[in-house]
Amino acid sequence: MTPMEKAGWTPLPHSDEDLERSRSVPDTPQTRAETYRLAWNDPDFMTRRELRAVRLQLELLKPEMILAERGIRSTVILFGGARLPEPGGAAWAAKNETQKKNLEENSKYYEEARKFARLCSQQSAASYYREYVVVTGGGPGVMEAGNRGADDVGAPSIGLNIVLPHEQAPNAYVTPELCFNFHYFAIRKMHFVMRAKAVAVFPGGFGTMDEFFETLTLIQTGRMERVPVILFGKSFWKRAIDLDFLAEQGTISPGDQDIIDFVDTADEAWGIISRFYNL
């Protein structure tokens, strides 16, 4: 089947055909002018501030279309710190000896994230990698561990990267054709939760907290279906957040704490998901 047949027959030329034709026009002062470029093939035009609404739409559409074409129906999110090293690895982000000690100690969660991603991916294989596909932010630390765990068992995994002021490349374990890059945080967050059947949150910083609490808010307000939200590292999270205190203060309802489960191991976490979905 030709690309034209896949797209549906039309008596009008497709945009990819006209793009090729536009590249073969004679070289003249007129054809070199920026105004002569096809609008959607003009980077200067597409990055104008007035085109923000169009870019938001494109960032939503591109991953959505690719994931749908791949047949991916559901995902398991792994959120967590980019700074957590692999066990035995250097605590490269440490700014002092205390941080170095704690990051090295918390490296155990890298290994648990990797194991958890393997368990998710083994279940995903039963659906030909359409369900329970691992998705991470595509970076280092816990994100790398998640993509690596999927890769350990030959499974695909998704990476949702974002352009940051400092240089960041996707980790080496993201499936290349499922590796996306975003300009807009909001659209990236939508792609995290649009297919999520479970959310696993590992120790992390502001970014992890942001993603975790946004997910909680969506569930608490009924804007998202109840799915397992699992915090890895009981001792870490008991100090990092105090939801019982919020309930006592009346800023959340009694029982809102029950949206979350606390675990220390990948097996515990997968057990929660298995019971929730009767796997």
Side-chain angles (χ1 to χ4, degrees), residues 79-108:
F79 290 138
R83 305 181 185 201
L84 265 62
E86 180 181 2
W92 56 269
K95 305 301 182 186
N96 53 54
E97 285 303 312
T98 300
Q99 287 196 346
K100 181 176 183 294
K101 172 180 173 292
N102 288 328
L103 284 169
E104 288 174 351
E105 184 177 330
N106 285 330
S107 68
K108 61 190 175 186

Side-chain angles (χ1 to χ4, degrees), residues 15 22 94 156 161 167 194 196 202 214 219 276:
S15 56
S22 73
N161 278 81
E167 184 178 348
M194 281 168 66
F202 294 79
E214 189 150 51
I219 294 172
F276 190 91

Side-chain angles (χ1 to χ4, degrees), residues 35-52:
T35 51
Y36 188 76
R37 297 173 188 164
L38 290 166
W40 41 267
N41 194 44
D42 182 349
D44 295 326
F45 176 68
M46 288 299 295
T47 53
R48 286 180 60 152
R49 294 194 176 187
E50 297 92 334
L51 271 289
R52 178 177 290 151

